[in-house]
Amino acid sequence: MGNTKSSALSKELLEELKSNTKYSEAELCTWYQSFLKECPGGKISKEQFEGIYASFFPDANPTAYARHVFRSFDTNADGTLDFKEYIVALHLTSGGKTLQKLEWAFALYDVDGNGTISKNEIQEIVRSIFNMIPVDDQKNLPEDENTPEKRAEKIWEFFGKKENDKISEGEFIQGVMDNKDILRLIQYDEPQKIKDKLKEKRQ
């Protein structure tokens, strides 16, 4: 066999990804090949990741959001995403279980990584989400959430928090599970568009 690891997934990683995501062995192997083609070093830098996002949203400015998404997936905080982090990211944003998605959403909003979310952090993420919504679409948003400030305020009020309070992970997950409207407010929900683009790139 020799050392074929450079172009083949290790058995351990393959088994781990198969049990933790909904992807088949064939899909994972195909994705690994295209991952290595795009990133011969086996890692995606923050800049590459932002570039991938930018190609999905030509009419918007996704840089700030992409940076937050990258941070939330860079689980070992080394400034790059390896194949495992990348696949887990894809899985979570496109088809993960609700609880996993909400744990990820919490990590996304917990900008400083201290285990709680402040009102400022909510405003920061909501602002980055608004950068991705084309201006024409923003005009069609409901009156009470058509600016980042209004939307952040609506989320904050839903959790019944005072100005300087914090939201814990448990509160966040429970709150969103109890109210589908909040789920809509906290996310930029276009994973299908991204998945379709990824499929196009692979063909």
Side-chain angles (χ1 to χ4, degrees):
M1 283 269 296
N3 185 14
T4 53
K5 205 166 183 178
S6 55
S7 62
L9 266 170
S10 73
K11 263 279 170 257
E12 296 79 15
L13 185 55
L14 196 55
E15 289 310 316
E16 188 184 339
L17 289 173
K18 265 168 46 187
S19 60
N20 287 325
T21 70
K22 60 182 176 23
Y23 304 124
S24 68
E25 189 161 330
E27 281 178 309
L28 288 166
C29 289
T30 306
W31 277 357
Y32 190 60
Q33 296 303 327
S34 62
F35 180 82
L36 283 182
K37 234 181 247 145
E38 301 254 333
C39 317
K43 304 262 190 189
I44 294 182
S45 70
K46 190 160 71 181
E47 291 68 31
Q48 283 173 307
F49 189 78
E50 287 169 13
I52 292 168
Y53 248 77
S55 70
F56 294 144
F57 303 102
D59 309 327
N61 177 9
T63 310
Y65 187 71
R67 197 174 299 136
H68 288 301
V69 172
F70 183 90
R71 169 187 49 76
S72 67
F73 287 131
D74 180 13
T75 47
N76 61 0
D78 69 349
T80 62
L81 295 189
D82 60 24
F83 184 68
K84 178 182 168 183
E85 289 168 326
Y86 176 70
I87 287 296
V88 168
L90 267 183
H91 168 69
L92 273 185
T93 50
S94 62
K97 294 190 180 78
T98 303
L99 183 62
Q100 288 177 310
K101 275 187 167 171
L102 292 179
E103 285 171 351
W104 168 66
F106 181 83
L108 181 71
Y109 276 85
D110 181 13
V111 175
D112 63 8
N114 71 349
T116 60
I117 297 173
S118 68
K119 190 173 184 180
N120 282 345
E121 288 174 318
I122 285 189
Q123 286 172 338
E124 186 172 334
I125 300 297
V126 169
R127 211 171 293 123
S128 71
I129 288 174
F130 261 73
N131 287 343
M132 292 164 61
I133 305 174
V135 177
D136 288 348
D137 292 353
Q138 288 186 30
K139 291 179 188 142
N140 302 324
L141 290 169
E143 177 63 31
D144 64 345
E145 56 182 76
N146 60 5
T147 69
E149 293 69 31
K150 285 184 191 171
R151 184 178 281 204
E153 194 60 49
K154 194 171 176 180
I155 294 168
W156 200 245
E157 279 174 7
F158 166 77
F159 283 103
K161 295 293 182 182
K162 295 191 184 74
E163 196 67 24
N164 296 319
D165 284 348
K166 302 267 195 259
I167 301 172
S168 70
E169 185 174 22
E171 279 179 297
F172 180 83
I173 290 172
Q174 198 53 54
V176 178
M177 283 179 122
D178 290 347
N179 188 320
K180 289 285 174 275
D181 202 37
I182 289 299
L183 182 61
R184 179 182 64 74
L185 291 175
I186 63 164
Q187 64 187 0
Y188 179 72
D189 197 14
E190 291 266 72
Q192 193 53 49
K193 193 187 259 182
I194 293 180
K195 271 168 70 186
D196 294 344
K197 276 271 178 20
L198 282 168
K199 280 199 185 108
E200 277 168 34
K201 281 181 102 164
R202 296 213 163 80
Q203 274 157 15

